[in-house]
Amino acid sequence: MPSGARPECVTSGRRQKSEVPADPAAGAGGTCRPFEFPGAGLSGRAQMPSPGLLVLFGSQTGTAQDVAERLGRDARRRRLDCRVQALDSYSVVNLINEPLVVFVCATAGQGEPPDNMKNFWRFIFRKNLPSTSLCQMDFAVLGLGDSSYAKFNFVAKKLYRRLLQLGGSALLPLCLGDDQHELGLPSTFTLHFLLEAPRTCSEEQHGASTDPQGPPSERQPFLAPMVTNQRVTGPSHFQDVRLIEFDITGSGLSFAAGDVVLIQPENRASDLGRFCQALGLDPDQYFTLQPREPGVPCPAQLPQPCSVRHLVAHYLDIASVPRRSFFELLACLSPHELEREKLLQLSSPQGQEELYSYCNRPRRTILEVLCDFPHTAGAIPADYLLDLIPLIRPRAFSIASSLLAHPLRLQILVAVVQYQTRLKEPRRGLCSSWLASLDPGQGPVYVPLWVRPGGLTFPETPDTPVIMVGPGTGVAPFRAAIQERVARDQTGNVLFFGCRWRDQDFYWEAEWLQLERKGCLMLFTAFSREQERKIYVQHRLRELGPLVWDLLDRQGAYFYLAGNAKCMPADVSEALASIFQEEGGLSGPDAANYLARLQRTLRFQSETWA
């Protein structure tokens, strides 16, 4: 295997549970049965080893051992307990108790196992081993072979199938290294470019739909028409915050207070153009995607055929900050000596401080890195795009409206992320900036979305009070809750809201004041910048300690917290502990136990974000 090969692919990917039938002798519950090893004791089980990663290798010339030891070093660098052993030096009696194993296997001769795994090989293929023997084990297999031989990676392929037969769960598809390949490790997919565009193309309708056949999901989002996109912060305020409303007529979407909506964003058109130019790609060219190995599915989000434009706009997260593995693979792909040396330095253990300074601290994006290494970017084979660049992940937003108050509508409150680092170009949040750029007043706008249960659940009893603390955009889920509770005539709605200025970022001021006048809401505000001493929601909680204690201890209220996770949650918890001591007469330890009991019984719930 050439030195440029990247066996770390075994540490990436999603877990895929194998569908292995339970052993009939295990009973209806499919209970795991152990290997029946000689000398394992009367119970048939060996002593449980400490949890962690086990890397087992079968090596004939030393290459597999070298790769295994490198995996071990990488695992320990990530603070994962890891053992590395040759297969025949490992006591196979313990395999039934290993939770996580990576097998690195060479193939010797004409499809034979290496000398240092032959005993293991004979044992693992015993016909009397139960089919649930390894049902507690997650595994990955990396084969090292040479495709010029007829039985290319025969050992790894056969071992992978056998581990599945014994009940093991594959963490990812079989990885096969090829000594004949220029990189040692082929790409997961191949892109076959078409000479001309297809006559019919369903890219825009792929997956997402305005007329879904089932509940909207990540695989089939609902294309929701955007109705309004309104800035709700004052013109002089430092942050652009939007109230966005979608029409969900015919979507089949249903949600309750505390639920979240997931939105699939896309890259900016200007970024798409720069990316295609840097890599020498034609955005209007079409391709079909083929996996190199059987059993590997193509990404469900990509149509077949697909244009380069669609791939980059909707799938490749070129605006994300790259991980170290990105630089490792990019170095393998680089034909330029100076750029390759720099990439190798940035991906080495010794170069991590430099990598942090170059990439993480200023939040440099994948696109910007590629532009900094032009010779490398221009030489990237298209087949490696999906291995090199992660997919765009959906973003979650608290739903800020109730179907009882706004039928067939879904509203969100979005703070547009934009900040400056030492780089000239401002850093922008992909999804929030994309949403802010959409203008339904200029023509129809559709956004792919779906909903899921959130982390907040509210009591259904009509007389149970709720205390909601939601500074800034953290107030969004509480607007949905208040609308829902008011529509159901539920009383005892108490809201603590905080922002900087009453006239700049007091979200839904008129709505709150109207509910307060009707007796449906008790509102307490903290405008942090309107006096010399900054006042936050935790200060208001302390000021209203008697009320808070009465609601929690005597009336059985639920307490909710949502907003920025930096300091506010700890400050609010500290304020509550102080209230429990001052108003409830509890000692410090008893106050902490009281708060813990509220959390344990879900009478204290929080939803915070970085």
Side-chain angles (χ1 to χ4, degrees), residues 25 56 90 115 144 151 159 165 173 225 241-242 267 317 320 323 326 376 383 406 430 432 442 553 555 559 581:
L56 296 174
Y90 173 75
D115 290 342
L144 306 182
K151 293 194 173 181
L159 175 62
Q165 290 171 357
V241 177
R242 302 297 181 99
N267 287 308
D317 197 357
S320 64
R323 300 177 183 271
F326 170 86
T376 302
D383 289 352
H406 299 275
L430 175 62
S432 62
Q442 299 297 313
D553 194 64
Q555 300 185 44
F559 189 96
Q581 294 176 67

Side-chain angles (χ1 to χ4, degrees), residues 20-258:
V20 181
D23 180 23
T31 307
C32 296
R33 289 179 55 195
F35 284 137
E36 297 170 357
F37 293 148
L42 294 176
S43 67
R45 283 193 179 272
Q47 185 178 0
M48 177 73 79
S50 60
L53 171 65
L54 173 65
V55 180
L56 296 174
F57 64 86
S59 185
Q60 191 72 19
T61 64
T63 303
Q65 180 177 352
D66 180 68
V67 170
E69 289 173 349
R70 180 177 177 184
L71 284 172
R73 288 192 297 270
D74 282 350
R76 287 186 285 269
R77 182 169 52 81
R78 291 170 169 83
R79 294 178 173 81
L80 180 65
D81 178 40
C82 182
R83 295 162 290 147
V84 180
Q85 289 183 245
L87 277 157
D88 276 358
S89 70
Y90 173 75
S91 179
V92 72
V93 69
N94 288 327
L95 198 62
I96 58 173
N97 295 318
E98 298 290 355
L100 183 61
V101 185
V102 174
F103 297 86
V104 184
C105 307
T107 297
Q110 299 301 314
E112 300 168 3
D115 290 342
N116 68 350
M117 69 175 288
K118 286 186 175 180
N119 292 334
F120 169 86
W121 193 254
R122 283 191 292 269
F123 182 86
I124 204 74
F125 282 96
R126 285 185 179 179
K127 293 182 179 180
N128 63 344
L129 295 182
S131 62
T132 55
S133 300
L134 300 179
C135 65
Q136 85 299 330
M137 186 177 78
D138 293 327
F139 72 89
V141 176
L142 170 61
L144 306 182
D146 188 323
S147 58
S148 64
Y149 288 83
K151 293 194 173 181
F152 168 61
N153 268 314
F154 180 79
V155 170
K157 293 175 181 177
K158 193 171 181 180
L159 175 62
Y160 182 83
R161 291 194 296 269
R162 183 56 173 161
L163 295 173
L164 289 177
Q165 290 171 357
L166 295 175
S169 297
L171 287 167
L172 73 166
L174 173 64
C175 292
L176 300 177
D178 183 3
D179 197 45
Q180 293 295 315
H181 193 274
E182 59 181 344
L183 298 178
L185 199 66
S187 61
T188 306
F189 301 99
T190 57
L191 275 68
H192 300 278
F193 287 98
L194 308 182
L195 296 178
E196 57 184 31
R199 293 182 179 179
T200 59
C201 179
S202 58
E203 280 187 344
E204 295 305 319
Q205 287 74 38
H206 180 77
S209 173
T210 55
D211 185 21
Q213 301 304 306
S217 63
E218 184 170 7
R219 296 196 67 170
Q220 189 183 45
F222 175 65
L223 283 175
M226 181 182 285
V227 179
T228 59
N229 186 349
Q230 174 191 1
R231 175 169 174 146
V232 291
T233 44
S236 62
H237 193 60
F238 79 101
Q239 188 167 43
D240 181 0
V241 177
R242 302 297 181 99
L243 175 60
I244 300 176
E245 182 175 74
F246 300 101
D247 183 353
I248 56 171
T249 302
S251 67
L253 288 170
S254 179
F255 53 86

